[in-house]
Amino acid sequence: MKTHKIAVIPGDGIGPEVINEGVKVLNKIASLDDSFEFEFTSFPWGCEYYARYGKMMDDDGIDRLKEFEAIYLGAVGFPGVPDHISLWDLLLKIRKSFDQYVNIRPVTLLKGAPCPLSNMKTEDINMLFIRENTEGEYAGAGDWLYKGKEHEVVLQNSVFSRKGTERIIRYAFEVALKQGKTLTSISKGNALNYSMVFWDQIFEEVSKEYPSVKTYSYLVDAAAMLMIKDPKRFEVVVTSNLFGDILTDLGAAIAGGLGLAAGANINPEREYPSMFEPIHGSAPDISGKQLSNPLAAIWSASQLLDYLGYEQYGKVILTAIEELLIEKKFLTPDLGGVSSTSEVGDRIVEIVASKMNVFQTQKN
């Protein structure tokens, strides 16, 4: 039996609640397949840890995480800890230290999921965002001059390297080629006359290596509009760190809300662990009330399974989420239901078990 060692960082607010349900689903799948098991190790890092020790994670935290195959993260952020500290000293620190330069966020309207757009079919919203994840606007480069003075000046510099830009664009082309889909690049070359012109140039260069992949390029403002008016034109999308962050939240809004939004931070070379997380915040106002929606965390668990090579089980989880949404009996308040976080997780486990039994029967 193969053992997959997974580091769990439940984090802050609703993080522990939703991650608990994801772990529950993963353990159920492993229990129904005798070829592998999970070994979860939990770390208490986050804002509560910061309030006690003055740091978001242990000094040797990165070294300790290196020993794991993957990381499963809940949420980061809590009142009293500045957002830039909670983000930069944990989440971004992990992404950068482990060169998780590919951020994958599906924007898919599942059957039964609510959509604020009128006359939209599920097949109209099926995008895969591939976001550069380690440099760009989130490189952390800049300066704060004359702080507190009348002539105070701040500089926030974007960093776009040829290596970083080329590898994320090539990764997106490979995905589009494998899936037989179009690839859309989103930038802002008309206004950002260095970084985004450079991005557009690299996209054009790499596209010549993939003549069979149909490509499109949009300015980010036009893309935001078209995601609302005509989302079906987007299939695989590649974009920069900042634009990807913003547009995938927009995508979440049109595909059921943040409670259905999952994200993966991938180191494709597997030199370091990759990290999987729901993209919603820590929602401290509902923490501990069992009101949080665990479906995004469970969806990110399906991405973890894909990463480990169990794509068939990743699909089982997605179909289970879809079945739960269609039956509408076990939904949290954000989706119009009255069920608790754990009740939703329990129902997903039941559906997964039934689908796994069918899968195993067909396999045998």
Side-chain angles (χ1 to χ4, degrees):
M1 179 180 290
K2 186 172 185 178
T3 300
H4 296 289
K5 295 183 178 182
I6 310 298
V8 179
I9 307 176
D12 308 311
I14 63 172
E17 299 172 28
V18 297
I19 286 297
N20 182 65
E21 303 311 311
V23 168
K24 186 190 299 183
V25 172
L26 288 170
N27 277 330
K28 171 55 70 172
I29 286 177
S31 72
L32 296 172
D33 185 319
D34 58 9
S35 68
F36 71 96
E37 64 180 355
F38 291 106
E39 181 180 300
F40 295 102
T41 301
S42 186
F43 295 92
W45 301 329
C47 291
E48 185 176 340
Y49 190 85
Y50 179 88
R52 183 175 299 178
Y53 300 107
K55 50 191 174 184
M56 290 291 294
M57 65 190 304
D58 288 332
D59 294 336
D60 63 348
I62 294 299
D63 287 334
R64 293 168 71 184
L65 290 175
K66 284 180 183 177
E67 305 303 317
F68 294 88
E69 196 168 353
I71 303 163
Y72 194 26
L73 174 71
V76 179
F78 210 80
V81 179
D83 288 342
H84 68 278
I85 290 178
S86 61
L87 182 65
W88 275 93
D89 290 0
L90 184 62
L91 179 60
L92 293 186
K93 184 175 182 178
I94 293 171
R95 286 179 180 174
K96 292 174 183 293
S97 296
F98 293 147
D99 202 20
Q100 297 169 349
Y101 63 88
V102 177
N103 183 271
I104 299 176
R105 292 188 179 180
V107 177
T108 303
L109 182 62
L110 299 178
K111 294 177 182 177
C115 179
L117 305 181
S118 59
N119 303 317
M120 283 293 164
K121 303 173 184 177
T122 54
E123 58 266 27
D124 290 338
I125 302 177
N126 188 16
M127 319 172 202
L128 183 67
F129 270 79
I130 297 175
R131 163 192 170 196
E132 200 292 314
N133 208 36
T134 56
E135 52 177 48
E137 303 86 355
Y138 293 2
D143 206 346
W144 199 318
L145 307 175
Y146 314 112
K147 195 169 185 178
K149 306 294 184 182
E150 184 180 354
H151 49 295
E152 192 170 20
V153 176
V154 295
L155 305 172
Q156 189 77 50
N157 300 327
S158 297
V159 176
F160 286 81
S161 68
R162 172 167 284 273
K163 176 183 176 180
T165 304
E166 187 174 301
R167 68 183 181 178
I168 192 65
I169 289 174
R170 179 166 282 107
Y171 184 94
F173 267 104
E174 289 290 337
V175 171
L177 179 65
K178 181 179 179 181
Q179 297 185 3
K181 294 184 176 181
T182 63
L183 176 61
T184 299
S185 171
I186 296 176
S187 70
K188 187 63 176 171
N190 61 338
L192 302 176
N193 57 323
Y194 294 111
S195 62
M196 291 289 97
V197 170
F198 179 71
W199 175 282
D200 292 340
Q201 175 187 316
I202 299 297
F203 184 77
E204 181 65 24
E205 289 177 8
V206 177
S207 69
K208 295 176 182 178
E209 302 175 28
Y210 299 86
S212 63
V213 176
K214 190 171 184 179
T215 62
Y216 300 92
S217 294
Y218 295 111
L219 299 176
V220 64
D221 42 349
M225 176 188 69
L226 291 169
M227 284 178 65
I228 300 298
K229 296 186 66 176
D230 188 23
K232 62 180 176 294
R233 73 171 61 203
F234 298 100
E235 294 182 348
V236 180
V237 180
V238 63
T239 190
S240 70
N241 216 331
L242 175 62
F243 294 161
D245 195 1
I246 295 169
L247 291 177
T248 51
D249 274 19
L250 173 61
I254 66 175
L258 286 173
L260 284 168
N265 307 277
I266 305 295
N267 173 249
E269 294 76 20
R270 298 179 183 251
E271 297 175 5
Y272 306 103
S274 293
M275 180 166 60
F276 303 84
E277 56 171 327
I279 73 170
H280 57 64
S282 58
D285 56 320
I286 61 170
S287 173
K289 299 179 181 180
Q290 281 284 302
L291 297 174
S292 56
N293 184 349
L295 294 180
I298 294 171
W299 193 332
S300 65
S302 79
Q303 291 182 300
L304 191 155
L305 286 169
D306 292 343
Y307 173 77
L308 294 177
Y310 305 110
E311 291 90 348
Q312 71 275 27
Y313 297 151
K315 290 178 182 177
V316 166
I317 289 180
L318 286 184
T319 56
I321 293 174
E322 202 162 46
E323 184 171 321
L324 178 135
L325 292 171
I326 292 171
E327 68 183 17
K328 298 187 184 302
K329 294 179 181 179
F330 293 89
L331 299 175
T332 44
D334 62 305
L335 293 176
V338 295
S339 299
S340 69
T341 306
S342 59
E343 286 173 339
V344 171
D346 289 342
R347 179 56 184 151
I348 290 289
V349 166
E350 291 177 358
I351 300 172
V352 163
S354 65
K355 291 184 178 299
M356 285 282 289
N357 289 332
V358 171
F359 180 84
Q360 296 291 2
T361 300
Q362 292 174 343
K363 183 179 176 182
N364 295 329

